[in-house]
């Protein structure tokens, strides 16, 4: 079953852009995704904390569809690559923010707020 995932990569900031794009192409080929992979380059940024001798990294966010069977080899490839400082793969369920609410849930939440105001 295909599921939608989001991956955040932090590459070594000393890598050139062409090397990063080659690594991404190799990783994404392992996914065998039937749909186009959305890649958003955030660029070089300061890390929240030092990771070894590094205090900057090159951030990339990718969204893709894949089966769970291909993920172990995909993760293994990233673990073995020295250019990848950190990565995180999560199920992508919705855009950033609260999940959408049904009309019934919104009405219930409004009633609860009114009840809380009366106390």
């Amino acid at each position: 079953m295909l599921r939608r995932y989001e991956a955040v990569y932090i590459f070594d900031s000393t890598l050139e852009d062409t090397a990063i794009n080659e690594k991404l192409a190799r990783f994404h080929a392992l996914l065998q995704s039937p749909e186009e992979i959305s890649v958003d380059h955030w660029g070089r940024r300061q890390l929240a904390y030092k990771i070894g001798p590094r205090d900057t990294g090159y951030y990339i966010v990718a969204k893709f569809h894949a089966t769970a069977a291909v993920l172990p080899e995909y993760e293994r490839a990233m673990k073995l690559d020295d250019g990848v400082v950190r990565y995180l793969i999560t199920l992508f369920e919705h855009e950033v923010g609260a999940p959408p609410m049904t009309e019934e849930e919104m009405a219930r939440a409004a009633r609860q707020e009114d009840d809380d105001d009366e106390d």
Side-chain angles (χ1 to χ4, degrees):
M1 176 172 90
L2 279 178
R3 297 186 79 178
R4 190 160 186 211
Y5 293 92
E6 180 176 59
V8 178
Y9 311 95
I10 303 175
F11 286 96
D12 188 343
S13 63
T14 60
L15 290 174
E16 293 185 20
D17 292 350
T18 55
I20 291 172
N21 288 329
E22 288 172 4
K23 289 176 185 294
L24 282 175
R26 192 176 75 240
F27 296 152
H28 292 165
L30 294 171
L31 294 171
Q32 304 165 1
S33 180
E35 297 181 22
E36 187 174 333
I37 297 173
S38 165
V39 179
D40 187 16
H41 291 259
W42 287 7
R44 287 171 178 78
R45 296 178 178 228
Q46 184 77 30
L47 297 173
Y49 55 88
K50 282 186 100 164
I51 300 174
R54 298 175 186 92
D55 57 357
T56 60
Y58 191 96
Y59 285 73
I60 295 177
V61 177
K63 294 177 183 145
F64 56 88
H65 287 84
T67 61
V70 300
L71 291 180
E73 184 61 28
Y74 171 67
E75 284 193 78
R76 182 179 173 278
M78 286 189 290
K79 285 180 187 176
L80 294 175
D81 193 309
D82 292 336
V84 178
V85 178
R86 290 282 191 274
Y87 68 91
L88 177 67
I89 304 166
T90 60
L91 279 172
F92 183 76
E93 296 179 359
H94 51 79
E95 292 296 328
V96 175
M101 294 176 69
T102 64
E103 293 291 328
E104 182 181 303
E105 290 172 327
M106 288 191 295
R108 188 176 328 124
R111 283 194 304 271
Q112 286 178 338
E113 284 181 24
D114 290 342
D115 291 344
D116 290 343
D117 290 342
E118 291 175 6
D119 290 339

